[in-house]
Structures are given as C-alpha cells and as structure tokens.
Amino acid sequence: MPLICLVRHGQASAGAEDYDVLSGPGRAQAAAVGRELARRGLRDPHLVSGTLVRQRDTARLLADAAGFGGPLHQDPRWNEYDHLGLLARYAPASGRTASEQDRLDHALLAWTRGPGTTGGETWAAFSGRVAAGLAELPAALGRGRDAVVVTSGGVLAALCGALLSLPGEGIAALHRVTVNASVTTLAVGASGTTLLTFNEHAHFAGDGRRLLTYR
C-alpha cells in the first residue's frame, strides 16, 4: 500500500521584503524533517513540491538530509492560496486590532462558505485543484513506492478537511495548528485514499523543540 507523506514547508520569512523565502529556522526545519523521513525507510520516494520558492527549497533541503536521490517534480496545484489577498478580501475592517491569525481564521471561514467578494481564487477552485493534484499522484507510484509532497498549511487543511468531510470551521481549526515542516500521512488503497496521521512533529520534541513554529 503506497504511502503519501505531505510535508508543510519550513518557516517562511514573515515581515521580510520577500515572504516566499525560508528563514534560518525554516532551513533547519527542512533538514530535520528530512532526517525523520529517512528514519521511516520510505520506498523509492517520489518527491513532489509546489512551485513556490519556500516549497521547492524545503523539498531540496529535506531530500539532501534524507539522502533521496530522485528528481524533484514541481506541480503548481500544490501551491498555497494567496493569504494576503484573502485577508484583503475577507478580513473585516473593524478587526484591525485582532491578531493576524484571528483575522486569517475569519477570512478563511468566510472563503469556505462562498465567493463573498469578487476577484481572486475561489474556495471551490482552490480545493478542486488541490484534490486533482492528489488524485493524480497514485498513478506515478504504482506498487512498492511512496511519495513525499512538500506543500503548505492551507493545502493540508483543505485535503484533510475533504477526507474527513469537515465543515469550514473544522478546516480553519486544522489550518491554525499545522506546524512548519510537520508530516501528514495518507495511505492509498483499493478503496481510495485514507488519512492516517495529521500534523506529526515529534521530530521537534526534546532538543528539537527550539525549531517548533506554527507561522
């Protein structure tokens, strides 16, 4: 039974001129999750990432740390939504004193409930492209091969929410707690794809706790 390990990218550079660059801790997180994946003994892993810089760099760093020798395949369907655009479209003007995370939770929930405002990617389009990327992945694996996909928190929340038939509130709750460079594991069987684990981050326990971040 093939396994798909979905990895959230390492910490990006919040507050910097270019958000889409791994921070110093983010690079260390990518190496740490690579060592964790090597420990699991994945079978000839098929490595995929979105096309965002933070996703590609996480994939390359974890592959180096894990000793994966195969090529990196890039697929834009694994890209994150535009969180700044989402905040601009859905976050209430009166919420400026709230934390960015609270504002993002509000925006994400509003987004999942319908188009709301014009412009930007709809929830249906986002969740649809993510689901399509996952649906096509097993064909690249065949028997006796696993996959590692480096993506983002919103993608993970959308996929897990769909697999668990969660409402928008559940999707927002998953999104809020997803750890940078965590691992979510899916199993591909004859009856379809099943969620085995969500947001594993034991590789940041003990001495690695200093690397534990959510944003």
Side-chain angles (χ1 to χ4, degrees):
M1 180 181 293
L3 296 178
I4 299 174
C5 294
L6 303 175
V7 177
R8 187 186 181 191
H9 62 75
Q11 184 187 59
S13 298
E17 183 176 347
D18 186 357
Y19 173 81
D20 192 24
V21 173
L22 289 179
S23 66
R27 297 180 67 84
Q29 290 166 346
V33 73
R35 292 189 292 271
E36 167 61 19
L37 293 173
R39 185 191 66 80
R40 297 187 183 199
L42 299 177
R43 300 164 299 175
D44 187 21
H46 177 71
L47 183 60
V48 184
S49 79
T51 62
L52 301 176
V53 173
R54 60 190 184 275
Q55 296 171 336
R56 300 196 316 261
D57 286 353
T58 297
R60 290 174 178 134
L61 288 165
L62 77 78
D64 286 345
F68 296 159
L72 171 60
H73 304 273
Q74 298 180 42
D75 184 342
R77 291 177 297 185
W78 294 99
N79 287 359
E80 183 65 295
Y81 62 82
D82 175 11
H83 76 283
L84 294 178
L86 200 69
L87 285 170
R89 289 160 58 198
Y90 290 100
S94 60
R96 295 184 184 280
T97 59
S99 70
E100 181 171 339
Q101 183 58 56
D102 287 340
R103 295 177 65 232
L104 184 59
D105 287 348
H106 175 93
L108 183 62
L109 185 56
W111 189 38
T112 62
R113 288 174 171 170
T117 61
T118 59
E121 187 176 31
T122 65
W123 171 256
F126 172 72
S127 57
R129 68 167 164 87
V130 168
L134 177 62
E136 289 186 14
L137 190 56
L141 303 180
R143 294 185 177 182
R145 194 176 190 194
D146 299 317
V148 174
V149 181
V150 180
T151 183
S152 297
V155 174
L156 293 171
L159 285 178
C160 293
L163 290 170
L164 297 174
S165 300
L166 296 180
E169 291 85 352
I171 293 169
L174 292 178
H175 189 284
R176 187 180 187 106
V177 300
T178 306
V179 169
N180 290 123
S182 60
V183 182
T184 292
T185 307
L186 311 179
V188 181
S191 60
T193 300
T194 303
L195 176 65
L196 293 182
T197 68
F198 169 70
N199 200 33
E200 297 174 84
H201 54 278
H203 43 292
F204 298 133
D207 292 342
R209 187 171 179 80
R210 61 186 176 80
L211 291 175
L212 179 65
T213 61
Y214 294 86
R215 299 290 175 263

